[in-house]
Amino acid sequence: MQRYFIYLAYDGTAYHGWQIQPNGASVQECLMKALSTLLRREVEVVGAGRTDAGVHASLMVAHFDSETPLDVTFMADKLNRLLPPDISVYSLRAVKPEAHARFDATARMYKYYVTTAKVPFNRRYRCRLFQTPDFERMNEAAKTLFDYTDFTSFSKLHTDVKTNNCRIMHAAWTQLDEVTWVFTVQADRFLRNMVRAIVGTLLEVGRGKLTVEGFRRVIEQKDRCRAGTSVPGNALFLVDVAYPENIFLGKEDALSAFVF
């Protein structure tokens, strides 16, 4: 068996998230069906994470096993022909047999976009704000995230994870234009609904409903009910997944041509 990492992107609007669902379309299911058609056998696909319903990815990574070595350029092209228009494969890369798309990831990065303008073309990919919050104060609150590892307050309740500990490496708001801001957050792992809950709580700080110290207390209380309402998923993008280079076989290929 040869294991491969697939680098792909998708518009999550039409899907109930990455993971296979009993009563809804998922990105994982679409990818598995396409691979099974090409390889003429059932293929299991494991993703680097589980994006929620409506959430997008400009870069997701998944792995699968092949019984024979594959022409990665040919496979990427064939997969793109089979997959729907809202899922695109960038490239495939051979990895060591024990490499794992989820467990070997050392960092993941998300971006959340907000806008204060009503622009029809952005409605699927931006969260509309009806007043401009204090982004400077929100950035001050975001810095407190580095002081903690237990983010139970920002986790969806009743999940099956063993720990709510995460190490946040980057968290900041930046302005893209006169009406658009983006929150970029990077961590070694994320909990279910974590980014959307953090953004929702930061917006409470920006609107003056919560102080920076109040934001700190929300984290320390380890209670989801103390945090703000989760923002909509349509403005959230998974944009990067990092891995140690020693799990790959051969040199980096055409993936380097893409800018995420």
Side-chain angles (χ1 to χ4, degrees), residues 27-42:
V27 180
Q28 184 184 29
E29 182 181 21
C30 285
L31 188 56
M32 286 173 61
K33 284 182 177 179
L35 280 167
S36 297
T37 298
L38 286 176
L39 299 180
R40 299 180 181 180
R41 64 175 179 84
E42 292 296 317

Side-chain angles (χ1 to χ4, degrees), residues 21-255:
Q21 304 291 325
N23 298 306
S26 71
V27 180
Q28 184 184 29
E29 182 181 21
C30 285
L31 188 56
M32 286 173 61
K33 284 182 177 179
L35 280 167
S36 297
T37 298
L38 286 176
L39 299 180
R40 299 180 181 180
R41 64 175 179 84
E42 292 296 317
V43 178
E44 185 72 22
V45 173
V46 177
R50 304 174 183 177
T51 54
D52 292 333
V55 175
H56 317 289
S58 58
L59 177 63
M60 166 63 92
V61 183
H63 78 247
F64 74 97
D65 293 325
S66 173
E67 295 176 345
T68 57
L70 301 175
D71 181 327
V72 293
T73 303
F74 174 84
M75 281 295 294
D77 179 64
K78 289 297 182 182
L79 281 170
N80 280 323
R81 292 171 186 267
L82 285 175
L83 289 166
D86 50 10
I87 303 176
S88 175
V89 171
Y90 293 127
S91 67
L92 282 72
R93 194 172 179 191
V95 295
K96 293 179 179 178
E98 68 275 12
H100 198 285
R102 179 183 174 189
F103 299 132
D104 283 333
T106 57
R108 298 160 174 85
M109 181 180 288
Y110 283 88
K111 289 181 180 289
Y112 194 88
Y113 294 86
V114 300
T115 181
T116 56
K118 182 180 179 181
V119 181
F121 311 109
N122 284 343
R123 70 189 188 281
R124 286 188 176 182
Y125 311 109
R126 302 287 186 269
C127 176
R128 171 83 186 281
L129 303 180
F130 294 92
Q131 61 182 25
T132 303
D134 187 335
F135 285 98
E136 185 175 345
R137 185 173 296 174
M138 289 160 64
N139 267 333
E140 187 180 347
K143 291 177 183 178
T144 67
L145 293 167
F146 304 129
D147 298 334
Y148 300 91
T149 55
D150 188 330
F151 294 102
T152 300
S153 293
F154 300 128
S155 173
K156 187 175 182 179
L157 298 175
H158 312 301
T159 60
D160 57 358
V161 297
K162 296 180 180 179
T163 175
N164 287 333
N165 287 356
C166 309
R167 182 171 61 89
I168 293 182
M169 309 162 186
H170 178 85
W173 289 92
T174 54
Q175 186 170 4
L176 299 183
D177 55 43
E178 290 184 1
V179 296
T180 308
W181 287 261
V182 59
F183 178 64
T184 304
V185 58
Q186 184 183 42
D188 59 347
R189 63 189 289 265
F190 287 92
L191 308 173
R192 291 288 303 278
N193 204 53
M194 180 174 167
V195 179
R196 292 164 61 193
I198 289 175
V199 172
T201 311
L202 286 173
L203 283 172
E204 291 200 351
V205 175
R207 292 165 178 155
K209 296 180 179 180
L210 190 67
T211 65
V212 174
E213 282 305 310
F215 183 82
R216 184 183 290 275
R217 285 195 296 273
V218 166
I219 302 173
E220 293 174 349
Q221 287 172 316
K222 302 176 184 178
D223 183 351
R224 179 64 186 89
C225 295
R226 301 293 182 181
T229 303
S230 294
V231 288
N234 66 293
L236 181 61
F237 289 76
L238 174 63
V239 300
D240 195 23
V241 186
Y243 295 95
E245 189 60 31
N246 62 9
I247 69 171
F248 296 97
L249 301 177
K251 296 180 179 179
E252 189 171 4
D253 53 19
L255 178 67

